[in-house]
Amino acid sequence: MPTSPTGSLSLAAARRIALAAQGFGSARPSAPPTRRTVMKVLDSTRLLQLDSVSAVVRAHYAPVFSRIGAYDRTLLDEAAWGHSARKPRQLIEYWAHEAALIPVQDWPLMRWRMVQYRHGRWNGMRQVLERNPGLADDVLGVVKEYGPSTAGEIERHLELDRPRAKDNWGWNYSDTKVVCEALFAAGELTVPRRVGFQRHYDLAAGVLPADVVSREPDEADAIRELVRRAARAHGVGTETDLRDYYRLTRRQTEPAIADLLDSGELEQVTVQGWDKPAYLHTEARTPRRVTGAALLCPFDPLIFFRDRTERLFDFHYRIEIYTPEHKRVHGYYVFPFLLDGELVARVDLRAERASGRLLVPGAFAEPGRDHARIAGALGRALREMADWLELDTVEVGEKGDLAPCLRREIA
């Protein structure tokens, strides 16, 4: 790849480019959001990470809310887990940046990864497949006969419903569940629907359009397309940024970046304060200003690569879900707060649905920020989130330097 940059960007400009690429550079829609509005978010992000934590709202719903405001979550559900002749499926699950929803047309770009995972995605999965050499075929046979099924339903059909060992680490999945996940990773099964966030597995060939299933791009071509998508989603980013978006390797991304430089789709630049070359997508917008407020969930594509978040926003952020409570600095499920193009604060949030409360156990401003200004905007954003989640009240706790000012604002 070329080693000499052809242009330079200030950090502020890089930030605005990144925000615009992620869908924060335009005004929110004035009309009630439709399925088209929701899918336009995917035009920017290309993926929505899935996560089981529901402390506030499932992770894939939050980035859409951050970009367009309150919307009917069934619009996203139907795009991912519904299908009809009038409303065909537009999103599908696969391992992109971790488990994620991606556009259906992007599924073949993961064929090379499915080949990598054909014997299991991790060592324990491979061991399960090795000790149950016929179980994968049995699982596929059940799905062919009965259609979309949970792992538990498949297990019952196979008459394998038996007590599981209690002494092993982790989720303690049954072998059947592990094999279902292995077949999902290998692209044999996919997830046409979820009920209560539980996966129902079905044959990928029966769920996805025939032209999608039949496409088998060469790995180099697929990687180039993924890097192209990552570059659009970043606007400007380093090789490690582009690599992380779809969890690629340096061996994969460097040739792809070189090809995109040669074709003129990327331009190598320097960004003030960055110690690595950056790559600017030639169609990236550079807004003069980015305005507005947004609460960002921990798995939002704008911030899920923490190194990039720190480089772009001077914002050190770590998720503390797995940190013992007494060692947490900011809280269990903390949302950074984006205001007028900068990350200015963070809040620990909890949706207590039984009592109709959005709880804010902690609120913290970044050093040197205007607490009153932040509290005003943050109070409005929290009220908007509470309304979207059909919660009646917002209650601010005692923790954090921003909490007193935010509490007065909410009151």
Side-chain angles (χ1 to χ4, degrees):
M1 290 189 297
T3 57
S4 56
T6 59
S8 61
L9 294 170
S10 68
L11 182 57
R15 217 169 18 237
R16 295 196 304 275
I17 291 168
L19 287 163
Q22 279 285 312
F24 290 104
S26 305
R28 286 182 174 183
S30 55
T34 63
R35 179 164 171 166
R36 185 189 297 265
T37 319
V38 170
M39 290 306 300
K40 193 171 181 188
V41 173
L42 270 295
D43 289 342
S44 299
T45 66
R46 300 308 303 181
L47 55 82
L48 295 172
Q49 188 172 340
L50 294 161
D51 191 81
S52 61
V53 176
S54 58
V56 180
V57 66
R58 299 282 186 193
H60 56 289
Y61 295 121
V64 180
F65 169 73
S66 299
R67 288 156 179 79
I68 67 173
Y71 72 102
D72 183 350
R73 280 170 278 169
T74 61
L75 294 171
L76 183 55
D77 291 342
E78 291 170 355
W81 298 297
H83 178 77
S84 68
R86 192 168 65 88
K87 291 184 177 180
R89 187 187 315 277
Q90 291 179 276
L91 299 172
I92 197 71
E93 294 187 34
Y94 193 64
W95 292 101
H97 181 94
E98 304 299 330
L101 293 173
I102 59 174
V104 165
Q105 295 300 320
D106 285 1
W107 188 84
L109 300 179
M110 300 297 178
R111 284 285 196 182
W112 59 272
R113 182 166 281 163
M114 295 170 194
V115 171
Q116 279 188 353
Y117 291 164
R118 66 186 180 277
H119 299 304
R121 195 170 62 84
W122 37 275
N123 190 51
M125 184 176 283
R126 287 188 284 274
Q127 291 173 359
V128 169
L129 291 168
E130 287 168 3
R131 72 169 178 260
N132 297 282
L135 186 52
D137 287 339
D138 291 341
V139 167
L140 291 171
V142 168
V143 174
K144 285 177 185 175
E145 182 174 356
Y146 295 99
S149 307
T150 66
E153 290 168 342
I154 293 169
E155 195 168 49
R156 285 191 289 276
H157 285 304
L158 293 173
E159 298 181 346
L160 294 176
D161 194 14
R162 55 182 181 268
R164 304 173 194 172
K166 302 296 183 183
D167 56 352
N168 60 328
W169 178 89
W171 295 97
N172 196 21
Y173 281 162
S174 69
D175 284 359
T176 305
K177 172 65 175 176
V178 172
V179 169
C180 287
E181 285 296 297
L183 291 168
F184 168 74
E188 295 284 340
L189 295 179
T190 191
V191 182
R193 71 170 183 254
R194 281 182 182 254
V195 179
F197 208 62
Q198 187 175 32
R199 280 174 167 163
H200 288 241
Y201 300 93
D202 200 359
L203 301 176
V207 172
L208 294 162
D211 67 307
V212 170
V213 175
S214 64
R215 277 170 50 209
E216 296 189 15
D218 175 78
E219 179 177 342
D221 293 337
I223 297 299
R224 190 183 310 108
E225 285 298 321
L226 291 174
V227 173
R228 180 180 284 119
R229 282 155 171 70
R232 285 183 181 276
H234 284 85
V236 62
T238 65
E239 182 272 330
T240 53
D241 294 337
L242 303 184
R243 184 200 317 169
D244 179 78
Y245 211 69
Y246 289 100
R247 300 296 198 193
L248 305 174
T249 66
R250 184 172 182 173
R251 175 190 62 80
Q252 292 173 314
T253 53
E254 285 192 339
I257 290 170
D259 287 349
L260 295 172
L261 287 167
D262 287 343
S263 68
E265 293 177 70
L266 296 184
E267 175 189 347
Q268 187 173 336
V269 296
T270 58
V271 175
Q272 175 191 1
W274 291 10
D275 60 2
K276 296 178 180 178
Y279 302 96
L280 174 69
H281 196 283
T282 51
E283 295 178 7
R285 293 192 304 115
T286 312
R288 295 185 63 169
R289 295 180 63 214
V290 175
T291 59
L295 288 158
L296 305 175
C297 89
F299 303 104
D300 192 291
L302 179 66
I303 60 168
F304 58 32
F305 186 30
R306 311 306 188 205
D307 178 68
R308 175 175 170 83
T309 302
E310 195 155 354
R311 272 186 282 112
L312 265 179
F313 296 100
D314 190 25
F315 189 89
H316 180 79
Y317 179 55
R318 296 293 183 272
I319 193 165
E320 298 180 271
I321 291 174
Y322 305 110
T323 303
E325 185 173 0
H326 68 281
K327 292 185 177 180
R328 288 178 194 146
V329 177
H330 297 109
Y332 176 78
Y333 204 63
V334 174
F335 281 57
F337 182 52
L338 178 70
L339 181 61
D340 295 340
E342 297 184 298
L343 294 179
V344 297
R346 64 191 88 200
V347 283
D348 187 20
L349 296 181
R350 206 88 72 253
E352 195 175 84
R353 292 166 181 84
S355 63
R357 299 184 297 168
L358 180 61
L359 303 178
V360 190
F364 310 82
E366 288 297 282
R369 300 292 184 175
D370 182 339
H371 286 204
R373 173 175 171 269
I374 293 171
L378 180 54
R380 291 188 291 275
L382 289 167
R383 181 68 263 170
E384 181 189 30
M385 174 176 274
D387 291 343
W388 175 54
L389 298 176
E390 300 180 316
L391 302 172
D392 301 318
T393 60
V394 179
E395 296 187 14
V396 182
E398 302 289 332
K399 191 174 180 182
D401 60 338
L402 187 58
C405 196
L406 181 60
R407 203 160 42 244
R408 288 193 297 271
E409 183 66 34
I410 294 293

